[in-house]
Amino acid sequence: MSHTLTMHPDRLFPADAGTRAVARALYQNVKDLPIISPHGHTDPAWFATNEPFANAAELFITPDHYVFRMLYSQGVSMESLGVPTVDGAEVETDGRKIWQRFADHYHLLRGTPSRMWLDSVFSEVFGFQQRLDSGTADAYYDRINEKLATDAFRPRALFDRFNIELLATTEGPLDDLAHHRTIRDSGWGGRVITTYRPDAVTDPDYEGFTDNLAQFAELTGEDTSTWTGYLNAHRARRAFFKSMGATATDHGHPSATTANLSRSEAEALYDTVRSGRHSAGEAELFRGQMLTEMAGMSLEDDLVMQIHPGSFRNHNEFVFQRFGRDKGADIPSPTGYVRALKPLLDKYGREPALEIILFTLDETSYSRELAPLAGHYPCLRLGPPWWFHDSPEGMRRFRQQATETAGFYNTAGFNDDTRAFLSIPARHDVARRMDCAFLAELVADHRLQEEEAAELAVDLAYNLAKQSYRL
Amino acid sequence: MSHTLTMHPDRLFPADAGTRAVARALYQNVKDLPIISPHGHTDPAWFATNEPFANAAELFITPDHYVFRMLYSQGVSMESLGVPTVDGAEVETDGRKIWQRFADHYHLLRGTPSRMWLDSVFSEVFGFQQRLDSGTADAYYDRINEKLATDAFRPRALFDRFNIELLATTEGPLDDLAHHRTIRDSGWGGRVITTYRPDAVTDPDYEGFTDNLAQFAELTGEDTSTWTGYLNAHRARRAFFKSMGATATDHGHPSATTANLSRSEAEALYDTVRSGRHSAGEAELFRGQMLTEMAGMSLEDDLVMQIHPGSFRNHNEFVFQRFGRDKGADIPSPTGYVRALKPLLDKYGREPALEIILFTLDETSYSRELAPLAGHYPCLRLGPPWWFHDSPEGMRRFRQQATETAGFYNTAGFNDDTRAFLSIPARHDVARRMDCAFLAELVADHRLQEEEAAELAVDLAYNLAKQSYRL
Amino acid sequence: MSHTLTMHPDRLFPADAGTRAVARALYQNVKDLPIISPHGHTDPAWFATNEPFANAAELFITPDHYVFRMLYSQGVSMESLGVPTVDGAEVETDGRKIWQRFADHYHLLRGTPSRMWLDSVFSEVFGFQQRLDSGTADAYYDRINEKLATDAFRPRALFDRFNIELLATTEGPLDDLAHHRTIRDSGWGGRVITTYRPDAVTDPDYEGFTDNLAQFAELTGEDTSTWTGYLNAHRARRAFFKSMGATATDHGHPSATTANLSRSEAEALYDTVRSGRHSAGEAELFRGQMLTEMAGMSLEDDLVMQIHPGSFRNHNEFVFQRFGRDKGADIPSPTGYVRALKPLLDKYGREPALEIILFTLDETSYSRELAPLAGHYPCLRLGPPWWFHDSPEGMRRFRQQATETAGFYNTAGFNDDTRAFLSIPARHDVARRMDCAFLAELVADHRLQEEEAAELAVDLAYNLAKQSYRL
């Protein structure tokens, strides 16, 4: 027996009829606004080459760690889902088999945002009317592949169909941005920009750090064996990224630690980490100093700064050795901001021209640290709920815990932060619905007037992202 | 003036009429399912001897630290409630007086789960129709005692009446399990099993640790003066517990710290803690190493492993000296899992045959650490909200904060974890109602279809506990 | 276009019609109860001199860091809002311009409690019927100033109109309490009492600590160069404050650390901090020891003890240098209670005659630490949600997270804790509404009977504050 798949028009709205009516009215005004996606991890090659996507398994399962981590957690091996190994050891390559395995375990995703995003894509992008399960797996696989082979499902066509006004990707400091150049030169109207993510040359614990510095020198013509040359190399790459559309940088550190060393201390520390003979504390201090340096450069070149701290990367040693990075084994850890950010804020915190967007994986910081900081410092804004918290309950907690102290206007609108291109409309739709639901509740208990809520709904869905990322 | 006592059929269901109707429908299908109680602290002697319970005060007040801690917090002395002292100093022994004192302060429990469990027992087990208060105290006391003297209120009769399919107790490693043997040999059909809780020989800070090791040797014939002999003694006791029905072990440590020492390091550490000349850090490291050893043995004998970390035991020094352990003075403390569990997980985390059920008293870990860990590692499941959080609001927070990342199928069903035998049906009923309420909300805002919710309701009420504990 | 300003009679009540009806009924019985304000920061000079307030800008903006921090966070300079500088550097003095600037940015406060308090004052105290915005700013400014010049808007008239039964202010240990004496001698019936807040002589990091000790000696005639003399000086000032109505002390420390040193250790530590050559750790230890000493003195003189820990004061160094303390740059930090309070509790925790009211800025401690502690120790009560958490969502979280373990009767009623005198009725009204809303939800899902909820509503709005502060 197969089950109907329908995306209910009132999904995610409050159950109370009066409140739901308000939410529905607010949503009517924002649902068709263009999508601003100012932070994410889609592959620019898709839009540069505009090649069709390969097949359902390679599109939806193999690269999506949200999906395969859940199946792995219930005993399904990553090999059987076609996740490639580091050493090229054999894994399942039959897309149909992988898809069937996925469909057989689809119930594991009940109650998760992945389930909602996938159902949205199946229903709204592919037009399925039956739910995915063991019995419908084959029909799904065939139809998806059929569609993917058509022009209407090539990346640029979907980009246009999704009503994306702007999409930012994220590249490392050594990237040549060739795909971005191709896109720009192609005459296609889609706006795809890059973001400067220099972790590979700012984090001494990054794989290949010293080699990366050498390549950094080569690319820029700067002498990265000196602190001055190293900083100038950043300036050069930031300018290059900016020329390819970047309006922001991004920094994925284990903590939010910042530092404010004297020039001579910074030079000495740079020599230490460059030598590879640094302690864990020195690596942390260097990353912290680099956040402060990046803030200083943002004041020079106007790039918005994003800080994404607090992920314990590659927690599962076995999975890391066999499958590499980004395999669903990154786990949040407690993250403090109050002491951590003080060195940077002491130096630059009062500059209204600086803009830093803070993210967190530690929800306890919303009401205790992040909202109080953002509700005071001119340079700080709060990014939307991130990663595991980019979900209906996560979004609700963020608004409930941050709004009363930070207000709405110290938040930065929505980011989808995804590699899963097809899910972008569904993700923005969830955010718009949850924000309308939250606003409707404020209207229902008379904390906000409906006309103010209507203005806020548009700000949260569209304006704040544009303003915050200087788009 | 006395007040009516009624247990409303819709209690704990959402207020919105449509959502409540869904919750009610889901609940209809689970309310009469047999009770699986895979973790708790009832006394096996009750079921072995089947003697009647003594009286209302000894049944409901003196042993229930949830109850007397609240009265103590408002200035009622433990002596006046009949809580026995360590040195035998005199306390109140008149059950009627204790009961009256309790009734006079019953309003202190408003809004607590104890109030709900007690009212359920009074209404549903004893048939009271007036609320307990100063005026009804005497009538309550008499009627409860009268009923307790009847055969229908003996432990085995209640066990059957409560529709308990399985009840697990918890015993220390030195227990002879005589009561379990008696139950097994009695021909009575009730299934009461034990659980291996070796804290007395794995925690160097446990009262009488070195004496316990001597007794451990005697019981097993192993030489516990060597690391190998000590580990083998565990193997022997685990096998014995397993022969008395155990399917699980349980570990109540101050933190979730684990370790993965080399054999020689472990041997040296064992010598140190055995000598009693260990530091606090060495005690912690030893407990951590023992969790990893226990995980290894679970892979040998298939016992499910439970970890209950994070309680600061006996916080009130005065109460501990005068009344001993478990007197309502255990206080939760911040508990980290991400770094703490890594040594164990590095060694055994990828084994789908291993099963570890994690509990917490630190709710901040639900969305930040536990759900991300359980949503990845094959060996991990999340236990239900524990102790202070085994309550309607606590259950709601658990589902709201854990489900989106861990899903439902990485959770382990409900545990009542109680010494209060009579409250077991009420506790499971609260859990079933809260799960139905949560599922109904997902149905109401179209995150889940009603047919899926119905399947989940049964899984959460019954199937997951059986599967998780390998029953 | 200007917008209507109305305070809806059902504001903050649950949306569900049945639950709302219960909340409304509960609220009817508490809305007109007299206000007990047992902890706050209004200026006793207002009630001593009974001079009119100056103008709208000086009343509502310049002193209210909740308001100007939000504008500052969005790039509005504090100078342009008339916030005075430490060195007297020029700032905006034109009240009308400041008011207009505030009105132009009033939308930034959407969703914050300040918005609700301000709207309440505008509507209910001043009778405005149009919302404040750029267009109505002038009319607001004129009308407020006009009213403030009338007798009906002098401090004592407002005090009476607000139905305040008791108002506590907070003074430092060196204060001569002249205003309180004036009030007491004036024959006016309003009850305004003081609170002993000795941070200036108990915190070695306080500005002017050693000078403060000298003045402390002078005021009391005690020799504060000895530990005994210093403690006796406290006893003398506590007695003096008590003679001016104080029933409580208050302690604003960076953490909840307490200590229980031997007499000789305490003497030596006092010598160290008096010399000014203490480490950060010694300052912390001294503050901790002083909390324990204050608890001991509370047992002597019956003053209730309040602990307000966990604020990182003056986080923005630039703002601190330019504008001084209390400028919206205090940020909460993680605060532990379990280990921190143990030394004090080991010494005095079992004394039912002692009363300590605990506050927190770290909401994670509600369910993990504070409710378990208050639900056990006779001397502990929980203060209401504090500062950033004195808000509808903050109040809801407090009740949801603390009630099930601590009950209602280990909480201390509401504190407004404000400098903003005119907002006091609005703040108590928010608390009463939120408590009625919470109780209504317990009634709606049958966790509480309506008659019990009605009793509790009065206890939470009035009785608990009087009892807890021994008024």
Side-chain angles (χ1 to χ4, degrees), chain B residues 3-6 8 10-13 15-16 20 69-70 72-75 78 107-108 110-113 115-116 131 312 315-319 327-329 331-334 361-364 388-389 391-394 396-397, chain C residues 16 19 337-339 341-342 345-346 349-350 352 364 367-369 371-381 397 399-401 403-411 438 442 444-449 451-452 455-456 459:
Chain B
H3 298 282
T4 307
L5 173 66
T6 46
H8 196 284
D10 284 338
R11 64 189 181 278
L12 298 175
F13 292 159
D16 174 73
R20 180 166 288 194
R69 81 192 302 271
M70 180 64 91
Y72 176 75
S73 80
Q74 287 278 314
M78 289 198 198
H107 65 285
L108 298 178
R110 284 174 181 162
T112 69
R115 165 66 186 274
M116 208 175 345
R131 212 196 299 155
F312 188 124
H315 191 272
N316 186 327
E317 183 64 22
F318 173 78
V319 163
K327 291 300 175 292
I331 311 288
S333 45
L361 293 173
D362 181 350
E363 293 178 302
T364 71
F388 300 108
H389 311 312
S391 62
E393 299 294 337
R396 193 195 325 273
R397 284 196 290 274
Chain C
D16 174 72
T19 316
Y337 295 84
V338 178
R339 274 160 225 279
L341 293 177
K342 194 160 179 6
L345 292 171
D346 279 347
R350 69 177 183 274
T364 70
S367 72
R368 188 182 56 218
E369 306 182 24
L373 286 165
H376 170 74
Y377 279 102
C379 63
L380 298 181
R381 286 207 189 211
R397 283 195 290 274
R399 292 289 177 211
Q400 286 174 339
Q401 294 173 23
T403 306
E404 292 179 324
T405 295
F408 291 103
Y409 293 99
N410 285 306
T411 64
F438 180 71
L442 297 190
D445 68 6
H446 307 286
R447 280 186 271 177
L448 205 59
Q449 297 191 10
E451 149 274 331
E452 295 181 282
E455 194 178 304
L456 277 164
D459 290 337

Side-chain angles (χ1 to χ4, degrees), chain A residues 125-137:
Chain A
V125 182
F126 291 94
F128 286 104
Q129 297 183 329
Q130 301 297 314
R131 210 196 299 155
L132 178 64
D133 57 26
S134 299
T136 58

